[in-house]
Amino acid sequence: MAGRILNRRELRRQSDSADQAAEQTEAAAPETAEAADDGDAEAAPVKKVRKAKAKAPAGPKVKRVRKPKAPPRMFARWGVYDAGMKQVAVFDYTQRAAAEEKLADLLTKKKGTHFLQLVKEAMPEPEPAPAAASPVA
């Protein structure tokens, strides 16, 4: 199992110094190869090392601001529920008296617990009206 690297900066310096030494030997190698090529028909090909081009620093990226979605329109209704949270009846918000009457009826006729609760439901999206066709003369 490999041990933990204790000093990353020191390893980086060693790596950089090894890279610089390799570059110096490569720079000296073509000069010695030209000197040794005084008449030899078979000269050893010299490898050319491509240096990586430094990229220009990119400008700061502009963050796109996403338009926030409008929350869906909601409308309130009165719901009559049993003890198991099963919805027994639903009434419009303006019909609270009818909802309470239904609740009283259920409490007297059926055994068990029933209660009235406000329910918020998403309003359906209105369908876009079809474009009026212009009369063609």
Side-chain angles (χ1 to χ4, degrees):
M1 189 167 152
R4 183 174 175 192
I5 298 172
L6 298 177
N7 193 345
R8 293 180 188 276
R9 289 189 183 125
E10 185 63 33
L11 292 174
R12 181 66 181 213
R13 277 191 221 113
Q14 290 174 0
S15 174
D16 290 344
S17 64
D19 289 342
Q20 289 175 355
E23 287 176 6
Q24 289 176 355
T25 55
E26 288 176 5
E31 293 172 4
T32 56
E34 290 174 7
D37 193 25
D38 287 339
D40 293 342
E42 286 185 36
V46 177
K47 291 184 180 179
K48 293 185 179 180
V49 178
R50 291 185 182 178
K51 292 184 180 181
K53 294 182 180 179
K55 292 184 179 180
K61 291 186 177 181
V62 178
K63 292 185 178 181
R64 292 184 182 178
V65 178
R66 183 174 283 179
K67 183 179 177 182
K69 287 187 177 180
R73 292 181 61 191
M74 306 291 275
F75 64 96
R77 302 174 89 180
W78 293 108
V80 180
Y81 290 89
D82 64 359
M85 286 298 294
K86 184 176 177 185
Q87 195 174 48
V88 178
V90 178
F91 297 91
D92 287 335
Y93 184 76
T94 58
Q95 298 175 338
R96 182 171 182 166
E100 287 178 346
E101 186 178 315
K102 175 74 172 179
L103 176 64
D105 185 41
L106 287 172
L107 289 173
T108 58
K109 288 186 178 180
K110 297 200 177 213
K111 72 176 190 182
T113 307
H114 292 82
F115 59 94
L116 187 68
Q117 184 173 350
L118 187 67
V119 180
K120 291 184 180 179
E121 297 177 356
M123 202 176 270
E125 293 290 327
E127 294 185 21
S134 60
V136 178

